[in-house]
Amino acid sequence: MELSTGIVLAIIGAAISMGVAAISAGVGVGLAGVAGAGVISEDPKKFGPVLVLQALPQTQGIYGFLGAVLILIGVGVLGGTVKEIPLGMGYAALGGGIVIGLSSITAVAQGAISASGMGAVAKRPETFGQSVVLAVMAETFAIFGLLIAILIFVGTKIMGG
Amino acid sequence: MLRPTRMKKIQILVLEGLRYEIIKRLQELGTIHLTDYSEKLADPEWRSLLRPCSLSPNIRKISALNIAVNRLLDLFERYHPEEREGFIKGIFAPLPPRRLETREIYGKELIDTVDDIIKKIEAEVEGPVRELEKIEQEILELDRTKGLLALILPLEIALEDIGESVFLSISLGIIPKEEIENIRERLQELTENNFYLGARETSENKLVAILICLKEQASFVLANLRRLNWERIEIEGQQGKPKEAIDSIDKRLVALGEDRARKEEIIVDIAKRWRDELKKHRELLMVERQREESQNKFAEMEHIVAIEGWIPKDSSAQAVQEIREVSHKACVVEVLDPGGKDDVPVQLKNPKLVRSFEVLTRLYGLPTYNGVDPTLFLVPGFLLFFSIMLTDAMYGVIALVLGLLLIRGGGRYNQFIKDGGVILSSAGAATIFIGALSGGWFGSFGLKLTLLAALQVFDPMIQVTAFLLIALTIGLAHVNVGVVINIVDNFKRKDIWKAISENLWFLFVQPGLGLFLVGYKSLGLLFIVIALILLFMGHKAMSMFQVTGFMGDILSYARLMALGLCTTGIAMTVNVLSGMLYAGGSIGILFALIVFFIGHLFNFLINAMGSFVHGLRLHYVEFFTKFYQSGGTEFTPLEMRFEIVQIK
């Protein structure tokens, strides 16, 4: 099967989107998990809030996944026949993948916030909601990254029929 | 509804002798939030009139009784643990809480009764507990000895022969296999060949050895051997060969076990008889303790006690009447309006269903007394944002069903679970509506049914730009609502300057830009100029940041579209993956179903959480900041709260 350079670029874009997002989300969730283990070692009853706080940095990984899937579906690698797409479109897909991947690095910071939030909850359980809000603030930029990528995909007709 | 409950300050002066009656009646009323007089007494003028109330002597007695009661209940729990409901069952289908009836007991009678009960129980329980401790001790010792005996089992010698006789010392030890030759050599040196060493294999690659040497050389030899990893074994009080000793120990352990079971039965019996009584009285004691401790907030002078607190306006008349009644009119009661500097406690007042959403406001922080209660505004906003971000009608159905289960399950007895259920089910209902409009039924799966497809007016994956514009417009509208609330609130508070200078410019700049862009250039320019004047008036050097701040706020609402697409995108992915598996024969169909089910469940959980969190976040950061003042103190009235006890 001969793949045009455009398709290959799009696939690389999808790879960057998911790959970098996976690293970032992994590190973020890891930071939070390390703190979480400390909290439940002192009080296992706090597992619920700890789990929720640990789940928050995961969303960047989901955005990376979504971006990769949108690219792959858009160029036909997934679910249909591989299309012949022009080189430019391939670059556009690559660009979209890069923006999602880079903006997902906010998950690392979000993981650090979640970790401190767990410390707050360990000391004062009533601060759980506020800790969640603090952690979510870091996600704004990942969302903007996803947004720009979607706009790129729509504008270059990778998405949106 | 838009403001916390209106409060009045209540001040009471009453005769010293009626102190207890008054606090009991206030507790029964449950409508007064006591303030601490000691803050006022920091002022020397007040201190010349009043002193802080002396501590009630009963508090110490009540604390001691409480400790004793808890100790006994812990003991009962150890031997006769109470049945607890499982976590899931507790949330979705809990049993009604058990209530214990009692007549009202309080004051001295209560303290004496509890004292009595504790003495009775302790008398019964003391003997068996002591016996059990002895038995446990002996069992421990025997187990230890048994362990040692197991090690020396291969040696078939009588245990009473171990030790010292007239001329000889016989001792046992454990040695690593590889050391035996070293030890033999050493022994030959040390005792000039006057020794006997016999060894048998035992567990863990070691040898159990018996050493016979001259008595006077024993300590010297053994000290040396210790350096060669000779672990000495000493066993006391046993007869016969190791096997026989183990058998006799086993017999004794069985007897001890039976004895222990018997004693435990006694305690279980005591627990069954007395546990409910103790729990009942523990709660009564807690209520009593509250009465005694609240008196710390009072102040006193010659024969008078001074009490101050806050009471909702609508309850004040009844309270005054009750206080007069219980003190036989020997009191002075004043009901005043709150002063400007008072930290008035806050009680939110909302209609029934909105009340369930108060927990979302509380998560951020209670409003100040003079601030706005945003809960009513939070409800439509939150439901709208949640449903747009979750965008799938079937997920909405799941949420609705879960919410209803919560309400009818744990929500019958637990307010917090009920609130959660109300929020979840209303969010679910809203999502069904929006999901139907956007054609999301497990992604595009449900669109196979023409009925559902007919409901769709909007496809978020195709009309992406339109979706973004809708999200931003919602954002613009939401921010405007926040600004309007802020301006109206300031007007009501007669702070005209703030009303005009803070955010009014924003309400002018929008029509200004709009008119300018559609061609009414001069009119538009006029509005814009007015807006700029207001802006600089209110914010001077920070004006630029106001503009960028508002721009950022509105852009933040773009997340409505991003998260909505995210849900739809992942749903689509799940459908594509299961579609691919479906084509693979009968095994494929099975896997397809598994992937479909787990994939959509995962998508629901992640995105429901995300929609919840981001919906709230938009309110907290973009909406509340326009007008909300948090930091209010919660209204916590003195009240009788019984969980187990039911007063006949």
Side-chain angles (χ1 to χ4, degrees):
Chain A
M1 183 187 211
E2 194 59 40
L3 295 171
S4 67
T5 320
I7 293 286
V8 169
L9 287 172
I11 292 177
I12 296 178
I16 292 179
S17 170
M18 184 68 242
V20 178
I23 298 176
S24 320
V27 172
V29 168
L31 285 171
V34 164
V39 170
I40 58 176
S41 74
E42 297 269 322
D43 183 1
K45 282 185 274 217
K46 298 225 164 61
F47 184 60
V50 161
L51 195 61
V52 173
L53 281 168
Q54 195 201 18
L56 294 176
Q58 280 175 4
T59 39
Q60 275 86 339
I62 296 183
Y63 300 157
F65 177 70
L66 181 66
V69 164
L70 288 176
I71 294 176
L72 294 178
I73 292 184
V75 301
V77 170
L78 184 62
T81 40
V82 178
K83 298 190 196 137
E84 268 301 314
I85 62 167
L87 191 63
M89 208 185 221
Y91 274 115
L94 180 65
I98 291 177
V99 78
I100 294 183
L102 288 180
S103 62
S104 73
I105 298 180
T106 54
V108 176
Q110 195 171 25
I113 304 175
S114 276
S116 316
M118 289 176 193
V121 167
K123 226 174 165 186
R124 280 164 147 263
E126 66 268 22
T127 56
F128 172 58
Q130 296 157 333
S131 304
V132 168
V133 175
L134 283 179
V136 158
M137 299 303 270
E139 200 159 320
T140 312
F141 312 106
I143 293 179
F144 285 163
L146 176 66
L147 197 55
I148 294 293
I150 291 177
L151 293 176
I152 292 176
F153 297 153
V154 169
T156 54
K157 298 273 186 286
I158 297 174
M159 235 177 88
Chain B
M1 207 161 41
L2 295 171
R3 296 228 185 256
T5 320
R6 296 293 93 186
M7 298 276 168
K8 292 260 189 209
K9 195 189 294 198
I10 186 165
Q11 284 176 333
I12 307 172
L13 290 175
V14 79
L15 282 180
E16 161 72 46
L18 292 165
R19 197 204 281 214
Y20 186 84
E21 282 80 0
I22 285 279
I23 197 124
K24 182 161 173 300
R25 185 57 67 92
L26 291 183
Q27 197 188 35
E28 282 160 5
L29 275 172
T31 51
I32 298 191
H33 169 118
L34 293 173
T35 48
D36 202 335
Y37 246 104
S38 52
E39 289 160 20
K40 233 189 200 146
L41 293 177
D43 183 336
E45 204 185 340
W46 279 100
R47 231 180 311 149
S48 61
L49 286 173
L50 297 165
R51 355 164 251 281
C53 219
S54 44
L55 290 174
S56 167
N58 287 332
I59 291 188
R60 207 173 303 153
K61 184 74 179 138
I62 295 179
S63 294
L65 287 176
N66 207 22
I67 292 177
V69 167
N70 279 328
R71 207 170 4 100
L72 284 172
L73 283 170
D74 283 341
L75 180 69
F76 290 168
E77 184 67 19
R78 230 180 89 194
Y79 289 103
H80 184 50
E82 267 190 303
E83 279 183 32
R84 293 246 144 78
E85 270 185 329
F87 182 67
I88 302 278
K89 187 164 185 294
I91 297 185
F92 287 105
L95 294 165
R98 208 161 58 100
R99 309 286 279 208
L100 301 167
E101 282 200 346
T102 178
R103 66 179 173 83
E104 200 179 3
I105 322 175
Y106 54 89
K108 185 159 183 344
E109 191 192 350
L110 175 63
I111 295 180
D112 288 341
T113 310
V114 177
D115 209 12
D116 215 30
I117 294 179
I118 291 182
K119 287 207 175 77
K120 272 205 203 107
I121 303 180
E122 277 182 351
E124 277 192 53
V125 136
E126 198 185 343
V129 168
R130 219 171 341 115
E131 301 278 315
L132 273 171
E133 272 172 23
K134 268 203 291 194
I135 294 177
E136 295 286 350
Q137 191 87 322
E138 200 182 335
I139 292 183
L140 227 71
E141 266 303 306
L142 289 175
D143 274 334
R144 197 181 66 87
T145 309
K146 204 170 136 180
L148 290 175
L149 286 171
L151 284 174
I152 65 171
L153 208 49
L155 286 178
E156 297 267 312
I157 49 167
L159 288 166
E160 54 266 30
D161 292 339
I162 309 284
E164 298 193 337
S165 65
V166 182
F167 296 111
L168 298 175
S169 154
I170 306 181
S171 44
L172 297 172
I174 300 277
I175 50 178
K177 244 197 199 161
E178 51 282 9
E179 295 284 349
I180 181 134
E181 286 315 312
N182 289 343
I183 288 178
R184 233 179 251 285
E185 276 178 37
R186 199 85 176 89
L187 282 171
Q188 278 166 351
E189 288 172 29
L190 291 171
T191 62
E192 289 156 17
N193 234 355
N194 285 325
F195 75 97
Y196 169 75
L197 182 70
R200 292 273 156 78
E201 277 208 34
T202 180
S203 54
E204 293 169 29
N205 225 21
K206 294 204 175 150
L207 298 169
V208 55
I210 181 168
L211 169 71
I212 307 179
C213 61
L214 293 172
K215 193 155 79 170
E216 51 263 24
Q217 293 186 314
S219 46
F220 171 69
V221 166
L222 286 167
N224 268 284
L225 285 182
R226 212 173 297 142
R227 278 188 230 123
L228 291 170
N229 289 321
W230 170 279
E231 263 177 69
R232 182 148 182 207
I233 294 203
E234 302 190 55
I235 297 180
E236 292 160 20
Q238 296 297 331
Q239 306 263 20
K241 305 218 178 89
K243 178 97 184 40
E244 294 161 15
I246 288 183
D247 285 340
S248 88
I249 288 182
D250 276 335
K251 263 197 225 129
R252 179 90 183 113
L253 281 174
V254 168
L256 284 175
E258 287 171 358
D259 205 10
R260 175 168 68 179
R262 263 195 305 266
K263 296 284 182 314
E264 282 179 354
E265 267 306 304
I266 298 180
I267 297 188
V268 168
D269 181 61
I270 299 175
K272 283 192 191 139
R273 274 184 292 129
W274 284 109
R275 200 207 306 259
D276 281 350
E277 275 298 294
L278 275 184
K279 288 177 88 167
K280 207 165 55 179
H281 286 91
R282 179 166 65 176
E283 221 173 49
L284 288 170
L285 267 183
M286 206 155 60
V287 169
E288 187 67 24
R289 184 189 189 143
Q290 230 195 355
R291 280 180 199 143
E292 299 289 350
E293 283 181 339
S294 319
Q295 295 176 30
N296 290 344
K297 296 195 176 137
F298 301 168
E300 59 183 18
M301 54 192 201
E302 288 314 317
H303 298 291
I304 306 243
V305 170
I307 307 174
E308 190 181 276
W310 295 98
I311 184 168
K313 191 167 83 165
D314 297 333
S315 316
S316 51
Q318 189 201 13
V320 169
Q321 196 186 13
E322 299 248 353
I323 295 172
R324 289 229 168 95
E325 198 186 307
V326 80
S327 61
H328 311 293
K329 303 231 173 97
C331 66
V332 174
V333 185
E334 268 194 327
V335 171
L336 313 158
D337 283 322
K341 293 215 173 34
D342 284 327
D343 180 17
V344 187
V346 168
Q347 183 190 53
L348 296 180
K349 191 168 72 162
N350 280 302
K352 213 154 160 240
L353 286 174
V354 176
R355 213 176 298 154
S356 294
F357 285 80
E358 277 174 13
V359 66
L360 297 178
T361 307
R362 267 178 229 278
L363 213 61
Y364 185 78
L366 280 176
T368 54
Y369 179 70
N370 286 319
V372 177
D373 176 4
T375 317
L376 188 64
F377 297 109
L378 193 97
V379 175
F382 179 75
L383 293 179
L384 179 65
F385 296 171
F386 184 93
S387 50
I388 291 185
M389 287 194 272
L390 196 56
T391 348
D392 193 298
M394 285 311 287
Y395 295 170
V397 170
I398 299 177
L400 178 63
V401 168
L402 265 179
L404 289 176
L405 284 175
L406 282 177
I407 297 177
R408 294 175 121 265
R412 271 181 294 163
Y413 309 117
N414 183 325
Q415 186 62 32
F416 185 68
I417 296 181
K418 184 157 177 227
D419 288 342
V422 170
I423 298 178
L424 194 57
S425 43
S426 35
T431 313
I432 296 176
F433 180 64
I434 300 279
L437 290 179
S438 60
W441 301 87
F442 284 138
S444 51
F445 182 71
L447 291 178
K448 299 198 182 130
L449 297 172
T450 38
L451 173 66
L452 300 179
L455 292 170
Q456 181 181 27
V457 300
F458 176 74
D459 188 339
M461 292 295 272
I462 295 188
Q463 295 155 284
V464 177
T465 334
F467 197 6
L468 181 59
L469 283 175
I470 292 176
L472 293 177
T473 314
I474 293 178
L476 188 64
H478 205 226
V479 167
N480 272 308
V481 171
V483 164
V484 167
I485 297 177
N486 170 245
I487 295 177
V488 170
D489 185 41
N490 278 323
F491 265 119
K492 283 235 172 99
R493 223 181 303 189
K494 314 272 197 291
D495 196 344
I496 309 289
W497 173 249
K498 241 192 173 180
I500 297 184
S501 62
E502 214 171 9
N503 286 319
L504 189 58
W505 69 270
F506 189 67
L507 293 182
F508 273 93
V509 80
Q510 287 168 85
L513 284 171
L515 289 168
F516 190 84
L517 288 170
V518 297
Y520 294 93
K521 296 219 191 280
S522 32
L523 193 54
L525 218 48
L526 176 65
F527 272 92
I528 295 179
V529 165
I530 297 179
L532 286 174
I533 296 176
L534 288 170
L535 174 62
F536 278 107
M537 233 170 52
H539 299 279
K540 310 193 181 51
M542 302 292 276
S543 303
M544 196 55 211
F545 292 108
Q546 283 293 303
V547 177
T548 51
F550 269 96
M551 277 169 56
D553 287 344
I554 297 175
L555 280 175
S556 198
Y557 286 84
R559 74 185 64 217
L560 292 174
M561 169 258 200
L563 287 172
L565 272 186
C566 192
T567 317
T568 314
I570 297 192
M572 182 179 70
T573 313
V574 172
N575 289 345
V576 167
L577 287 175
S578 9
M580 294 193 326
L581 284 171
Y582 192 76
S586 42
I587 291 281
I589 294 182
L590 178 65
F591 275 111
L593 286 173
I594 295 177
V595 165
F596 186 80
F597 179 68
I598 295 185
H600 280 296
L601 185 65
F602 170 75
N603 195 17
F604 168 71
L605 289 172
I606 292 273
N607 278 299
M609 185 180 77
S611 307
F612 185 83
V613 164
H614 282 282
L616 268 189
R617 178 221 169 282
L618 283 173
H619 280 86
Y620 291 164
V621 178
E622 274 81 27
F623 187 59
F624 280 12
T625 44
K626 300 286 172 292
F627 63 89
Y628 192 57
Q629 293 159 325
S630 68
T633 330
E634 172 116 42
F635 177 75
T636 41
L638 181 67
E639 57 183 352
M640 303 230 283
R641 189 170 296 165
F642 286 127
E643 277 174 26
I644 303 176
V645 166
Q646 191 148 18
I647 304 276
K648 277 199 284 242

